[in-house]
Amino acid sequence: MSGLKSNLSRFRGYFEQTAKLMIGVPDYDTYLEHMRTRHPDQSAMTYTEFLDNRLQARYGAGKAGCC
Amino acid sequence: MPRILNHAPWLVLAVLGAFALGTVALARGETINALWLVVAAVCTYLVSYRYYSLFIATRVMRLDPARPTPAMRHNDGLDYVPTNQYVLFGHHFAAIAGAGPLVGPVLAAQMGYLPGMLWILAGVVVAGAVQDFMILFVSMRRDGRSLGELIKAELGDIPGVIALFGTFMIMVIILAVLALVVVKALTNSPWGFFTVAATVPIALFMGIYMRFLRPGRIGEISIIGFFLLIAAILLGGQVAQSETWAPVFTLTGIQITWILIGYGFVASVLPVWLLLAPRDYLSTFLKVGTIVMLALCILLVAPPMKMPSVTRFVDGTGPVWSGSLFPFLFITIACGAVSGFHALISSGTTPKMVENELHTRFIGYGGMLTESFVAIMALVAASCIEPGIYFAMNSPPALLGTTAESAAQVINNWGFVITPEMITQTAQDVGEVSILSRAGGAPTLAVGMAQIFSDLFGGKGMMAFWYHFAILFEALFILTAVDAGTRAGRFMLQDLLGVFFKPLQRTASWAGNLIATGLCVAAWGYILYQGVVDPLGGINTFWPLFGISNQMLAGIALILATVVLFRMKRERYAWVTMVPAAWLLICTLTAGVQKVFHSNPAIGFLAHAERFSTAANEGRLLAPATSMEQMRQVIFNDYLDAALASLFVLVVLAVLVFGILSCLKALRSDRPTTREIPTGGATARAGD
């Protein structure tokens, strides 16, 4: 039962990640993890700063639309 | 023996696919079920994915699971993030899927569904998916660099600049044509116009909500936004019925054009969080959701195909677009079979997020196969409505006249049975005043989708709702593409103009921003306006131009891939990209030259200009022009279009010459000369 539950929550996690990446927002936890392990000396962006950063990256220079 | 057994299920699939394809191809006269197309398509995709993409991955590219990807080397948690392949597939698919695979097949249905279907399947397996996969591979091996940079690095600076310039022109055409599709759908349609206009305040509300009320709650606000959209569709139905409000939202094509131009300008200078981003969220989720829903509905409803498999219009006399099957079918269906724009996506964010080289096969080749399936569904939706209705919706007023009676008479003469009552009844069913001459794919697809959806949910009473849902779904993502594209075009232009006048290059400067945005909007706005006033309906003229430019970009991308294979010293496998590149060049160059020089004024721009010049010199007016000034305008536009088509031809020829030179040079070298990041680059930028 718990196996099914953990499978379901993992599936939900992937679903959420996919939906967010579709609109150009990568996983925030992965980013935090990266900052914690690779740059412990720097402070990580808050979630809203992170979103804003991704927004600028998605609609900034040199991005083309779909067909 | 076990090895052979491994292949047995695939053999079964192949036989099933061949049988389904045979059933579709050999059906003469009798109506077949759409499921045959679906089965033929899915079997083709599975078998080609299993064998051909594996061959490309292992023999041609020699993908190496141990080789660090850009995401591994530059992992920064932001742009470069190793990502699960299914998650990345979703991202990549959402980025490549757009209006293209929906519109092209609908227009191509005038020749019957068989030619379109065969091209979609053959094209995607041999050309489209190969291109997406190859460019993803090439970009991944070079730190996820963009198509322009890749061409510069592998072919040289001059072809790099030529290709960039070509890309900008293609973008202008694409924006104009997409906007034209929206104008055609919303002209004199208070319901449609109200619903689409309502998306602007809805998006503004979402933007403010996300910025100030509950920051970062993307999922929550997207759901709220979705329900507001549904409310807007329902309210639109009331607006269309209201005697006070219906006239307010009933606009002519020219009025809508000016509104779109003004909107495009304002939207692309506003901060992104306010309008663009929230609308992008809505349109992306709605797009993917609707595509999934359409697939399920087609499977459940299993509609019969009412369009003949091949119509008499294969001879090139069709009313929807002019030109014979070769080469024009192959440029009318661009996305879905092969699309140059995907080369930009495959060299965009996707290569920066690949976790393992082996995943590129599923993401690149598999993603394009999925897009191709969307095209097949669009073809099914267009072919399951009455052919008479299809032609009533897609033929220009110059042929049909403007009443149901005149239209029915013309279409009956073409051999498709239709009565004026059927035309007015369909318009009533979908809640519109008229469905005549709404070329551009979106409305036809909307009628097809409304028919399929209402079969399952709500019956005939819901058809009007589903029709406007489908219109909204397409208009929403087309408008998002228009303002994201204007923004991207503005940056490109600022870059280009900055070469001559430095201060323009500062993307933060307001003057530079406004000038570049204005120029960009003016460029697509001009073409859009020409399309709207064109008596032949605009789509007739401009869709081929869009197709030519898009397929030429694909040709350029495949030339790049060929050069890379030569430089890797894998020229024995270069046929994998050379064959589709050659086919695309043959189609697009023939089509480009025909669009300029063909003696039939319906096809050749120059012949058309000459017909109008002769008439103007004799003091005669030719429809649709109603004054001498309009005559001169038509002639000027013909020359402009001819110049554009010639420009595309020259761009592609130039890249071809540079490509051949690079291949010859690579052949003379006795070792690989490609510019990949070496395997040992693992620590090159570690820690940044």
Side-chain angles (χ1 to χ4, degrees), chain B residues 479-542:
Chain B
L479 290 183
T480 309
V482 166
D483 84 34
T486 304
R487 196 175 282 272
R490 169 197 134 197
F491 288 126
M492 273 188 193
L493 211 57
Q494 276 187 283
D495 238 19
L496 216 65
L497 294 177
V499 178
F500 307 104
F501 186 57
K502 255 293 175 253
L504 278 179
Q505 217 159 24
R506 292 206 319 273
T507 46
S509 107
W510 269 96
N513 179 342
L514 292 180
I515 292 171
T517 306
L519 282 174
C520 201
V521 172
W524 63 255
Y526 184 81
I527 298 178
L528 169 62
Y529 189 84
Q530 299 321 323
V532 172
V533 296
D534 183 347
L536 275 175
I539 291 288
N540 204 314
T541 312
F542 288 113

Side-chain angles (χ1 to χ4, degrees), chain B residues 122-445:
Chain B
V124 73
V125 168
V126 180
V130 173
Q131 176 210 241
D132 290 20
F133 188 17
M134 278 302 295
I135 298 299
L136 182 58
F137 162 75
V138 170
S139 176
M140 177 186 67
R141 286 267 171 106
R142 288 158 185 77
D143 272 350
R145 285 202 277 167
S146 70
L147 185 72
E149 292 171 322
L150 294 173
I151 293 178
K152 234 179 188 173
E154 301 289 336
L155 272 82
D157 284 341
I158 300 172
V161 173
I162 293 176
L164 265 185
F165 177 70
T167 314
F168 178 74
M169 292 309 301
I170 290 165
M171 206 155 76
V172 168
I173 300 262
I174 247 177
L175 294 180
V177 171
L178 289 181
L180 186 57
V181 171
V182 173
V183 173
K184 289 278 159 197
L186 300 185
T187 302
N188 291 328
S189 162
W191 189 338
F193 187 82
F194 172 84
T195 314
V196 174
T199 61
V200 176
I202 292 175
L204 292 174
F205 165 72
M206 289 171 66
I208 291 168
Y209 184 96
M210 243 183 322
R211 190 80 173 181
F212 302 111
L213 299 178
R214 284 167 68 81
R217 299 303 183 102
I218 297 175
E220 181 182 302
I221 191 59
S222 297
I223 291 170
I224 297 177
F226 175 76
F227 282 106
L228 288 175
L229 282 186
I230 299 295
I233 300 177
L234 295 173
L235 193 59
Q238 302 299 316
V239 166
Q241 306 266 323
S242 148
E243 279 178 21
T244 0
W245 291 107
V248 177
F249 291 99
T250 304
L251 300 176
T252 63
I254 294 179
Q255 286 170 321
I256 297 177
T257 303
W258 284 110
I259 292 174
L260 273 184
I261 290 174
Y263 167 79
F265 184 84
V266 174
S268 57
V269 291
L270 284 181
V272 283
W273 60 264
L274 185 58
L275 183 58
L276 178 53
R279 243 225 341 250
D280 190 10
Y281 298 172
L282 275 184
S283 75
T284 305
F285 295 144
L286 196 63
K287 174 172 77 183
V288 175
T290 308
I291 286 172
V292 171
M293 184 161 105
L294 182 60
L296 292 177
C297 287
I298 287 180
L299 290 182
L300 290 173
V301 175
M305 307 284 278
K306 294 193 181 145
M307 181 67 79
S309 60
V310 179
T311 71
R312 49 176 285 210
F313 296 128
V314 283
D315 63 358
T317 58
V320 186
W321 43 273
S322 317
S324 47
L325 192 142
F326 173 82
F328 286 100
L329 175 76
F330 304 97
I331 56 165
T332 300
I333 301 185
C335 319
V338 49
S339 162
F341 248 69
H342 297 184
L344 302 179
I345 311 281
S346 293
S347 59
T349 43
T350 311
K352 299 186 180 113
M353 302 195 126
V354 175
E355 194 175 24
N356 178 320
E357 283 204 345
L358 296 185
H359 295 173
T360 52
R361 178 181 165 214
F362 177 62
I363 297 162
Y365 202 94
M368 180 61 195
L369 290 179
T370 318
E371 160 115 330
S372 170
F373 188 67
V374 176
I376 291 284
M377 293 197 300
L379 191 62
V380 166
S383 308
C384 73
I385 60 180
E386 281 297 332
I389 296 289
Y390 170 87
F391 286 106
M393 294 189 73
N394 289 290
S395 310
L399 296 176
L400 292 185
T402 49
T403 63
E405 285 74 23
S406 62
Q409 199 186 354
V410 174
I411 296 168
N412 279 323
N413 283 340
W414 289 336
F416 301 96
V417 183
I418 184 100
T419 62
E421 292 73 36
M422 282 163 77
I423 296 178
T424 40
Q425 183 61 45
T426 307
Q428 252 174 36
D429 285 346
V430 299
E432 289 291 320
V433 181
S434 160
I435 51 161
L436 290 183
S437 305
R438 291 196 182 273
T444 313
L445 185 64

Side-chain angles (χ1 to χ4, degrees), chain A residues 34 52 54 58-59 63 67, chain B residues 75 79 99 211 280 335 488:
Chain A
H34 169 81
D52 211 44
R54 290 300 83 201
R58 183 169 169 88
Y59 306 106
K63 290 285 180 300
C67 70
Chain B
N75 189 350
D79 290 311
R211 190 80 173 181
D280 190 10
C335 319

Side-chain angles (χ1 to χ4, degrees), chain A residues 26-52:
Chain A
D27 193 35
Y28 183 57
D29 291 336
T30 310
Y31 164 75
L32 283 184
E33 178 67 20
H34 169 81
M35 292 305 284
R36 202 176 52 76
T37 51
R38 299 281 285 273
H39 311 283
D41 49 319
Q42 297 168 20
S43 62
M45 290 184 274
T46 65
Y47 185 54
T48 37
E49 284 168 353
F50 174 79
L51 281 182
D52 211 44

